[in-house]
Amino acid sequence: MAAPCRKMASRSYSQLLCCFSRTAVGSGACRRFSVTPIDRATPRASTAADRATSPWSLMAAVCLQRLPVITADCSPIEQRFKQMLQQMELEKSMLSDHELRLMEDAERMSRRQADDYDSDEDLGDQEIMMTQDLEDTWEQRLKNFQPAPRVRADVDEDLTSVQRCLTDSLVLLAEQQVGAEKLWLLPQAAWQEGETLRRTAERALDSMTAGVRATFLGNAPCGVYKYKLPKAARTESSVGVKVFFFKAILVDGTPGSAPTAPLLWLKKSELQKYLKPAYMMNVGRFILNL
Amino acid sequence: MNHIFRKVLLLHTVYVNMFLSFCFVSGTAAMNERQYRDMPTHGIGRWRHLLLKQAPKKKKDRNQQKELVSATDTAYGTLNVTVSGYDMTVVEHYSQYIHNFCNRLNIKVADSYALPTKSTEVLLMQEQGNKTYVDAVLKTHQRVIQLSSLNASLCPVFMDVILKNQPEGVQLSVQEHTEADYQARFKARPELEGLVAQINQIHVPNKTS
């Protein structure tokens, strides 16, 4: 990775050095990440006179995603196409070094077995391992290797587990108290004076789940949802709430210590059952179903 | 008498022809340009003379360093998206995918190059003896896509999509581009460095004396 470089200070702006690596499924179900933020400028505290008082209160929410760990299975037509392409590639390709050596060895064996064999023809140095033996040892080692199962039905059913549905990306939902009722929402927190919205989103994530490490993808929010308070609760200074969403990627698979609120990891298709329709419409626009 | 008239007529026709040809030549044609056809519309389809003169491209210009864009409040500066892995086809296809994706999102791609392949030899201990033997040679391929500037509001979307499409066995890394990165691409020149060291050695005694 390149060493962090010095940058000129810029207002409320931070640069990321991200290194994402995707390797075979190990003990954790997540990719190994490393992030080094270079420049974290402190946000300017705006004086009370600057801000126009608005009746909307601000909140920031985090859309924490666990990326897919393994590739999805191919559909039947994709499988057939893949087979056809592999066949074509095999037929068009040239022989590799290993295959050439196999052919040479076979030729030498047949020459040795021939009746009019002249031992002087043979080269001075005999190889210890024939190429075919090498291939056999490799095949043996491959048979001994047991890959982890791709799909485990019991883990898939458990909605709170991070390791479910390794082929899809999952979103974190938390049950929160909003007004009088408990709703399933993306974890959110109210904005406080003197902090950036992204900082608020980080705080929301920390308060809902302790010890989960996440990388935020940028300072800009990816979506906004505003709702008005019910008529009974509306006052002069608070008409409604605007919620800004920030995207983040899960780095560490461990959920940490017991979370304060019940958490769920859901695919986009399952979100509909838990979110309110208007909220779902807004949130569904920036959650990608790739 | 007749031949005099014929000569005069001939001369007259020649002069008239010359006069006519001067009349029909358009303002932009040179006087010494051959008028292959006498039609007044000759040369009507010419357009290359209307293009601006392009300076001829020199071979040296191709490998000059592109300017480093510095970061502003709303956009990142020059970024390097490095894709690396053991399987060359997968790495190349993924880098092509990212390049096409940037084109589609109108993100300016400054440069797209490959870093040299690094070979890693895997040595395993023999089961019976103490000697290690060469088991496999793994080659790490790297492809770099240099983006000249990335809008901060577009960044989360861009990163999300390329992360979700990252294939297995491929490492992705997004970093700022520095001068050191550019210089690292060049081969070291040991003779030159040796000569420079020699020159410095010769000069230093002179300065002290």
Side-chain angles (χ1 to χ4, degrees):
Chain A
M1 273 199 291
C5 73
R6 302 281 164 271
K7 256 174 62 261
M8 287 178 280
S10 42
R11 181 175 70 93
S12 58
Y13 179 71
S14 75
Q15 182 65 288
L16 294 180
L17 290 186
C18 324
C19 182
F20 307 97
S21 87
R22 185 170 176 175
T23 52
V25 177
S27 53
C30 284
R31 305 182 193 183
R32 275 181 274 136
F33 266 39
S34 39
V35 176
T36 2
I38 318 175
D39 201 47
R40 288 217 144 222
T42 51
R44 264 201 335 221
S46 53
T47 57
D50 291 353
R51 278 177 303 109
T53 48
S54 118
W56 296 90
S57 50
L58 298 178
M59 295 184 92
V62 61
C63 173
L64 181 65
Q65 299 176 88
R66 188 221 67 186
L67 295 171
V69 181
I70 52 182
T71 46
D73 290 327
C74 302
S75 65
I77 202 168
E78 282 176 350
Q79 265 176 355
R80 282 167 49 198
F81 188 61
K82 194 165 102 166
Q83 262 182 339
M84 185 185 85
L85 283 185
Q86 273 178 347
Q87 182 82 12
M88 278 173 63
E89 213 184 289
L90 184 70
E91 287 170 10
K92 278 194 200 171
S93 68
M94 317 256 277
L95 292 170
S96 70
D97 289 340
H98 179 72
E99 284 169 332
L100 285 174
R101 258 183 271 133
L102 273 176
M103 282 171 47
E104 273 177 31
D105 284 352
E107 214 186 287
R108 213 180 296 152
M109 290 296 286
S110 64
R111 263 193 285 134
R112 269 201 220 154
Q113 257 106 45
D115 289 337
D116 51 344
Y117 173 63
D118 197 358
S119 64
D120 294 339
E121 270 180 18
D122 213 347
L123 296 165
D125 46 349
Q126 295 276 337
E127 15 180 84
I128 301 160
M129 286 273 269
M130 300 289 288
T131 324
Q132 188 63 42
D133 299 338
L134 268 176
E135 204 176 309
D136 290 336
T137 44
W138 294 338
E139 285 231 27
Q140 199 61 38
R141 274 228 291 245
L142 182 66
K143 275 198 207 123
N144 290 343
F145 174 70
Q146 297 293 338
R150 279 171 66 94
V151 174
R152 288 174 296 182
D154 55 337
V155 180
D156 280 356
E157 298 301 316
D158 181 18
L159 293 176
T160 55
S161 146
V162 156
Q163 316 237 357
R164 67 180 292 250
C165 295
L166 294 172
T167 55
D168 300 302
S169 49
L170 304 176
V171 180
L172 180 72
L173 274 197
E175 191 169 28
Q176 286 178 291
Q177 188 88 23
V178 170
E181 44 184 299
K182 276 194 164 253
L183 292 175
W184 282 105
L185 303 167
L186 298 178
Q188 67 188 29
W191 175 72
Q192 283 161 4
E193 293 283 330
E195 66 172 2
T196 57
L197 277 176
R198 178 175 148 162
R199 190 75 202 90
T200 318
E202 285 169 7
R203 202 163 41 86
L205 184 63
D206 286 333
S207 63
M208 293 294 146
T209 61
V212 163
R213 287 196 297 142
T215 313
F216 277 77
L217 287 179
N219 282 337
C222 55
V224 66
Y225 176 65
K226 62 182 191 185
Y227 62 92
K228 290 193 174 162
L229 300 171
K231 287 225 167 65
R234 260 183 245 183
T235 61
E236 278 287 326
S237 60
S238 65
V239 168
V241 174
K242 287 186 183 170
V243 188
F244 290 91
F245 299 98
F246 286 84
K247 268 197 185 157
I249 303 284
L250 185 69
V251 171
D252 214 333
T254 55
S257 43
T260 48
L263 299 172
L264 284 188
W265 289 99
L266 297 174
K267 294 193 275 200
K268 186 171 177 184
S269 45
E270 296 164 355
L271 279 179
Q272 258 181 347
K273 285 188 278 184
Y274 289 84
L275 296 179
K276 295 222 146 151
Y279 193 75
M280 174 70 204
M281 249 178 36
N282 223 310
V283 163
R285 282 163 63 182
F286 58 79
I287 295 184
L288 302 167
N289 195 21
L290 290 174
Chain B
M1 202 52 184
N2 269 349
H3 65 278
I4 297 169
F5 280 134
R6 226 179 290 132
K7 257 196 195 156
V8 164
L9 209 62
L10 204 63
L11 275 172
H12 186 66
T13 43
V14 164
Y15 280 134
V16 163
N17 267 343
M18 279 175 63
F19 178 68
L20 281 174
S21 64
F22 277 136
C23 280
F24 283 131
V25 157
S26 59
T28 51
M31 284 299 132
N32 51 7
E33 199 184 0
R34 177 166 70 108
Q35 292 293 311
Y36 181 61
R37 295 185 192 279
D38 288 335
M39 283 280 283
T41 55
H42 175 67
I44 196 170
R46 275 198 322 148
W47 55 271
R48 260 191 219 270
H49 63 290
L50 296 170
L51 294 178
L52 296 167
K53 285 274 182 231
Q54 247 183 359
K57 277 197 278 192
K58 285 194 227 143
K59 184 80 188 286
K60 275 191 291 185
D61 289 343
R62 248 192 70 191
N63 287 337
Q64 296 299 352
Q65 187 180 11
K66 305 254 163 71
E67 284 126 28
L68 286 179
V69 178
S70 58
T72 67
D73 274 350
T74 50
Y76 292 96
T78 314
L79 289 179
N80 272 1
V81 179
T82 317
V83 179
S84 56
Y86 294 133
D87 193 359
M88 185 167 84
T89 50
V90 178
V91 166
E92 287 206 328
H93 276 261
Y94 186 50
S95 72
Q96 279 170 14
Y97 167 77
I98 296 178
H99 202 313
N100 284 334
F101 187 57
C102 292
N103 288 348
R104 192 177 272 270
L105 294 184
N106 293 328
I107 302 173
K108 281 214 192 75
V109 175
D111 222 350
S112 122
Y113 52 86
L115 294 175
T117 318
K118 298 197 179 115
S119 290
T120 318
E121 272 196 356
V122 175
L123 300 164
L124 281 184
M125 289 284 287
Q126 266 183 354
E127 279 133 29
Q128 277 87 42
N130 266 346
K131 226 175 68 157
T132 55
Y133 65 95
V134 176
D135 189 38
V137 175
L138 296 172
K139 294 197 188 146
T140 310
H141 307 269
Q142 282 180 323
R143 301 283 181 272
V144 175
I145 298 152
Q146 200 172 82
L147 312 174
S148 64
S149 76
L150 182 63
N151 221 349
S153 52
L154 190 56
C155 172
V157 176
F158 176 68
M159 289 303 303
D160 200 22
V161 175
I162 61 175
L163 279 172
K164 287 202 166 138
N165 282 305
Q166 194 181 357
E168 290 145 326
V170 162
Q171 283 89 46
L172 175 74
S173 137
V174 179
Q175 280 150 357
E176 269 193 347
H177 182 65
T178 58
E179 187 72 31
D181 285 339
Y182 179 71
Q183 295 298 338
R185 285 178 71 192
F186 290 105
K187 281 208 258 200
R189 288 199 277 185
E191 324 89 34
L192 183 70
E193 282 162 19
L195 288 173
V196 164
Q198 268 183 7
I199 290 171
N200 283 343
Q201 270 185 343
I202 293 166
H203 268 181
V204 166
N206 277 352
K207 279 178 190 165
T208 49
S209 63

